[in-house]
Amino acid sequence: MTQSIIVQVGQCGNQVGCRFWDLALREHAHINTKGVYDEALSSFFRNVDTRRSDGENDITSGKIRSLRARAVLIDMEEGVVNEILQGPLRDVFDSTQLVTDVSGSGNNWAVGHKVYGPACRDHVVEKVRRAAEHCDSLQCFFLIHSMGGGTGSGLGTHVLSLLEDEFPEVCRIVTSVYPSAEDDVITSPYNSVLAMRELTEHADCVLPVENQSLVDIINKIQQMAHSGKPSQVIRKESTLISGRGGVGGTEKPFDAMNNIIANLLLNLTSSARFEGSLNMDLNEIAMNLVPFPRLHYLVSSLTPLYTLADVNIPVRRLDQMFTDAFSKDHQLIQADPKHSLYLACALVVRGNVQVSDLRRNIERLKPSLSFVSWNQEGWKTSLCSVPPVGHSHSLLALANNTCVKPTFTELRDRFMKLYRKKAHLHHYLHVGGMEHACFSEAVTSLSSLIEEYDQLESTKSLLWSDAPRLQVAT
């Protein structure tokens, strides 16, 4: 069994991380009823004997003593981290996993990247190495951060490059929360575009999530909850709507939005944690879905996003689940992959689903989806037998698709509106090591990325339905 480490950076990264650990504990508690430390738990948790003062005595089998998350919490303000340490999850972390400061990055990428990055480098490396030493087979780093603020975007991307330097063989999967156009941080377009260059160069995979998409999804869920129809009563124990009833206790602002991201990660890692008839190694995500190193932005969709009152979901709902995964309403960014070009697609299915169900739905959907001519069979599938809490089955779709281009184009446009007027530039340029070239290189990198997606999309009209195959003489 392999292990993964979650590195959560900034206010948003730590709030999402808090929801992830809450829901992960609920999921394992729901399945692990005997209280035995097993391989599934070991993928994200250590079993520690707290009778030793140094807390270093890991118990690799037998009864669960005290679980410690395989995590590193980084923030240049102490508020969110202190809240976690004083809350119900306080026993899951200890001081050896924290890197904090008191002043914050002031919504400035340059402060996070150029000031706090070098200042915290040794501390971050020490904490990550310490977490890695407790792993028998470290497979993946999951970095969670936001793009709009200073610490998440600046220090977050600096930490990403550190992970590449220190652990070049370990896969780096980044979950990045992108700001909406109405974001209250005026400098978020600068922070996002500067961070984009680092993500393009140093990540193996990036799962972009847009704030506006999360808001839209939550609004739809709330409308369903208050529709009054008996068939649309949302289960209170659902891990997809709030923190109520979970380890976290009462619901907090953004819990519902953060739960969706946390469930994205739970579903993504399900095959690495639990048994199934088609297990997918985390390294296989980049191997199968990223044909070009820079084009590693994967559009994710999760279904169901809510739990209906139905106890036994019939087969037609299973088929509907596959249809939903390819509709724009279930995407975690504002995009429509069905009308864009696929480079590759992964389906991570959980629950009592057969390989025949998977094949039937892929064959049903294939005619309506456009794949690049050289990867017409570009599907990667995973079947995990353990369903999420409150569901009979679920589906996570990861698409490497040109539909991300409008998101990046809009981000560049918002960047250029500020940059043409040189608005707020002085806040960045007074930081040591920050120059005008950093801005021009970042926007050039983003434009180049958009151009690559453009070139691929232009081949969509050239696709042929039945490509000639090589004939082998016998």
Side-chain angles (χ1 to χ4, degrees):
M1 182 63 72
T2 58
Q3 293 84 41
S4 297
I5 296 172
I6 301 273
V7 182
Q8 43 200 69
V9 186
Q11 178 177 330
C12 174
N14 280 290
Q15 286 176 335
V16 172
C18 180
R19 300 306 308 132
F20 171 81
W21 294 112
D22 185 343
L23 300 186
L25 285 169
R26 288 184 66 181
E27 184 167 277
H28 283 283
H30 186 75
I31 296 156
N32 189 335
T33 55
K34 295 182 179 178
V36 174
Y37 183 69
D38 57 12
E39 288 189 335
L41 267 171
S42 73
S43 57
F44 276 110
F45 295 94
R46 295 163 49 212
N47 190 21
V48 176
D49 187 350
T50 53
R51 292 173 296 182
R52 277 189 53 168
S53 58
D54 57 9
E56 291 296 306
N57 190 17
D58 283 13
I59 305 163
T60 55
S61 61
K63 186 176 172 59
I64 295 172
R65 291 289 180 183
S66 182
L67 293 178
R68 289 282 186 274
R70 299 189 190 276
V72 178
L73 286 63
I74 304 169
D75 200 0
M76 295 300 100
E77 291 178 347
E78 294 182 313
V80 174
V81 173
N82 282 344
E83 194 177 329
I84 293 171
L85 295 182
Q86 292 164 12
L89 292 173
R90 59 185 173 274
D91 293 333
V92 181
F93 308 103
D94 59 43
S95 59
T96 65
Q97 298 168 268
L98 313 177
V99 180
T100 59
D101 205 290
V102 291
S103 54
S105 299
N107 294 323
N108 189 326
W109 181 90
V111 173
H113 198 85
K114 303 285 187 180
V115 176
Y116 283 122
C120 297
R121 179 189 175 94
D122 292 343
H123 292 298
V124 171
V125 170
E126 178 201 344
K127 306 295 185 189
V128 174
R129 276 192 179 151
R130 193 182 184 107
E133 284 167 3
H134 288 294
C135 298
D136 295 325
S137 179
L138 177 58
Q139 184 180 43
C140 188
F141 287 111
F142 287 94
L143 178 69
I144 310 172
H145 74 127
S146 71
M147 300 289 280
T151 301
S153 67
L155 183 54
T157 51
H158 187 87
V159 169
L160 179 63
S161 64
L162 283 183
L163 295 178
E164 184 182 38
D165 292 342
E166 299 293 330
F167 302 90
E169 303 303 317
V170 181
C171 182
R172 298 172 302 283
I173 298 178
V174 184
T175 302
S176 304
V177 181
Y178 283 66
S180 61
E182 290 78 34
D183 190 65
D184 57 357
V185 177
I186 191 69
T187 54
S188 68
Y190 285 158
N191 298 333
S192 300
V193 172
L194 289 163
M196 277 287 295
R197 183 190 178 199
E198 303 295 317
L199 292 179
T200 303
E201 291 184 4
H202 301 296
D204 289 312
C205 288
V206 178
L207 309 177
V209 177
E210 281 184 337
N211 264 331
Q212 191 56 51
S213 287
L214 297 179
V215 169
D216 292 345
I217 288 168
I218 295 303
N219 287 340
K220 284 172 193 164
I221 292 173
Q222 297 301 339
Q223 284 173 11
M224 289 195 72
H226 297 104
S227 68
K229 295 179 183 177
S231 63
Q232 293 183 342
V233 176
I234 298 178
R235 289 177 178 168
K236 289 184 179 178
E237 73 270 18
S238 171
T239 61
L240 287 163
I241 55 170
S242 77
R244 288 172 292 183
V247 178
T250 56
E251 184 177 3
K252 294 177 183 157
F254 306 115
D255 265 359
M257 292 167 64
N258 293 338
N259 281 349
I260 293 176
I261 307 173
N263 274 282
L264 160 66
L265 295 172
L266 282 178
N267 281 274
L268 181 64
T269 60
S270 60
S271 206
R273 292 181 292 135
F274 303 115
E275 291 183 353
S277 54
L278 270 179
N279 272 18
M280 182 169 69
D281 195 288
L282 290 170
N283 291 322
E284 293 181 75
I285 296 172
M287 179 64 70
N288 288 273
L289 298 188
V290 184
F292 305 107
R294 285 166 53 86
L295 305 185
H296 54 234
Y297 294 87
L298 307 180
V299 181
S300 49
S301 61
L302 192 61
T303 177
L305 288 163
Y306 46 82
T307 307
L308 299 181
D310 304 318
V311 177
N312 297 311
I313 301 178
V315 174
R316 66 180 179 80
R317 286 212 182 276
L318 174 63
D319 289 1
Q320 184 61 43
M321 188 173 74
F322 281 86
T323 303
D324 289 345
F326 292 89
S327 73
K328 61 182 181 180
D329 291 340
H330 281 71
Q331 309 301 318
L332 301 193
I333 70 168
Q334 294 188 304
D336 190 0
K338 206 167 185 180
H339 293 96
S340 298
L341 189 64
Y342 281 85
L343 279 68
C345 185
L347 300 176
V348 182
V349 187
R350 300 183 64 179
N352 184 22
V353 182
Q354 306 304 315
V355 175
S356 57
D357 296 323
L358 201 53
R359 286 177 181 157
R360 184 184 73 253
N361 278 285
I362 288 175
E363 290 304 317
R364 178 173 65 86
L365 290 163
K366 262 172 77 171
S368 63
L369 307 175
S370 299
F371 274 75
V372 287
S373 58
W374 38 264
N375 200 22
Q376 290 287 303
E377 302 298 322
W379 296 88
K380 179 66 182 171
T381 54
S382 167
L383 282 179
C384 171
S385 57
V386 178
V389 178
H391 297 277
S392 62
H393 45 242
S394 70
L395 168 63
L396 167 66
L398 296 174
N400 194 338
N401 190 291
T402 58
C403 68
V404 296
K405 190 187 73 172
T407 296
F408 297 158
T409 304
E410 184 195 353
L411 184 60
R412 181 182 61 182
D413 292 345
R414 286 166 49 209
F415 173 95
M416 292 308 298
K417 274 184 185 175
L418 289 176
Y419 190 60
R420 285 194 190 100
K421 297 174 182 175
K422 307 298 181 191
H424 304 285
L425 272 186
H426 61 287
H427 294 301
Y428 291 79
L429 297 176
H430 84 270
V431 176
M434 195 69 187
E435 301 173 352
H436 277 286
C438 296
F439 287 90
S440 57
E441 288 168 6
V443 76
T444 299
S445 171
L446 181 55
S447 295
S448 173
L449 189 68
I450 293 168
E451 175 97 16
E452 288 178 59
Y453 282 112
D454 257 333
Q455 289 173 359
L456 275 170
E457 204 157 45
S458 67
T459 66
K460 188 179 175 184
S461 58
L462 306 177
L463 296 181
W464 53 89
S465 57
D466 189 17
R469 297 184 182 277
L470 181 67
Q471 300 295 316
V472 180
T474 55

